[in-house]
Amino acid sequence: MQTIKLTEEDFKRCADALGIEVATIKAVQKVETGNRGGFVAPNRPAILFEGHIFWNQLKKKGLNPENYVKGNEDILFPKWELRYYKSAMEEYALLEKARTIHEEAAICSASWGLFQIMGFNYAACGCRTAQEFVEEMSLNEGRQLDLFTTFLKTNGWSKFLRTLNWTEFARHYNGPQYTKNKYDEKLLKAYMKYK
C-alpha cells in the first residue's frame, strides 16, 4: 500500500473541526516530524521508541522492569536519555524487541505518526485498544491527522492553538520539559512560516 500524503483539504478539514488556523496545524506537524512525513516505509508510521516510558508502562502492567533490563539496556531504562534514539527503521527494531517483553506496553511506549502521539494516548484518540491505534496510524497521513484532531478535542488543547498560546500548548503536548527543546519557540517560528 502506498503512503497517502496530506492535502490542503485535509488540513482545512482539521482546522474547521477544531476552529483553528491551518497554519497552526502545519506548525505542529513541522515541529513534530519536519519534512520526514508520517511514514518511514509503506504501512510503517514514523515512530520514536521511549525506553523510559517502557519502564513505566511495564510497572503499570504489574511487571518489575528491573527484571528485564539485562540484555535490554537499549529499550529499558528509568530516565530519558538522548543516546538511545536511533534512525527510522532502527526504531522499529527497538519496538519489536520491546514487544517480546510486553506487546501493549511496547506500543504505548512509542510516539506515532506525523504528530508523534504517544501510544498510551490511544483512548484519547478514539481507539479501543493500542493495537487499533497502530492499525489506524498505519493507514495514511489523513488518518493520522484525524487521530490528532480527536486527541486535541479530547484533551481540550485546541484552545491553546486557537489563541496562539504556544507556551501552554507545548507544556501540555510535549510535557513539562518542553523548554529543553524550545518547543514553544519552534512552534511560533513554524507558525510564522505558514501564516
Side-chain angles (χ1 to χ4, degrees):
M1 175 181 163
Q2 281 205 327
T3 302
I4 300 171
K5 296 288 185 186
L6 284 181
T7 65
E8 281 302 312
E9 290 75 30
D10 289 324
F11 281 115
K12 184 161 183 353
R13 177 174 44 82
C14 175
D16 290 346
L18 296 172
I20 60 179
E21 296 175 67
V22 167
T24 60
I25 302 163
K26 288 183 175 181
V28 176
Q29 186 266 310
K30 174 71 174 171
V31 170
E32 292 300 324
T33 50
N35 296 323
R36 291 172 294 155
F39 290 83
V40 295
N43 301 317
R44 292 281 189 161
I47 65 165
L48 199 58
F49 185 78
E50 305 280 7
H52 66 295
I53 301 292
F54 190 44
W55 184 279
N56 293 327
Q57 287 294 314
L58 287 180
K59 282 184 177 179
K60 288 182 179 179
K61 302 296 180 191
L63 301 173
N64 182 353
E66 293 175 6
N67 295 340
Y68 299 90
V69 171
K70 189 171 170 83
N72 294 309
E73 292 85 359
D74 56 342
I75 61 165
L76 199 52
F77 37 90
K79 294 187 178 175
W80 179 87
E81 290 189 48
L82 179 63
R83 68 186 173 116
Y84 292 111
Y85 288 151
K86 306 290 181 197
S87 63
M89 290 307 290
E90 289 178 299
E91 287 289 333
Y92 270 94
L94 298 177
L95 176 65
E96 293 309 317
K97 189 174 180 183
R99 277 180 154 153
T100 65
I101 298 172
H102 196 286
E103 173 85 15
E104 184 176 337
I107 291 170
C108 289
S109 301
S111 56
W112 296 82
L114 276 173
F115 298 91
Q116 289 296 284
I117 300 171
M118 288 301 300
F120 61 72
N121 289 308
Y122 67 86
C125 293
C127 297
R128 292 178 304 258
T129 65
Q131 187 57 47
E132 180 186 344
F133 174 78
V134 172
E135 289 165 7
E136 294 291 314
M137 278 284 177
S138 300
L139 293 175
N140 54 55
E141 290 183 354
R143 189 65 189 123
Q144 292 178 6
L145 180 63
D146 292 339
L147 294 170
F148 170 73
T149 303
T150 301
F151 182 57
L152 291 188
K153 281 183 178 178
T154 301
N155 288 299
W157 296 344
S158 55
K159 65 186 173 192
F160 302 127
L161 294 179
R162 197 172 302 118
T163 59
L164 305 181
N165 188 337
W166 302 111
T167 300
E168 282 307 306
F169 182 79
R171 185 191 321 279
H172 287 83
Y173 198 84
N174 301 106
Q177 300 294 316
Y178 74 96
T179 53
K180 278 189 178 177
N181 288 315
K182 301 181 178 179
Y183 279 115
D184 53 341
E185 295 174 29
K186 290 176 181 176
L187 286 162
L188 173 59
K189 186 177 178 183
Y191 169 74
M192 296 307 292
K193 174 186 173 185
Y194 294 116
K195 178 72 178 146

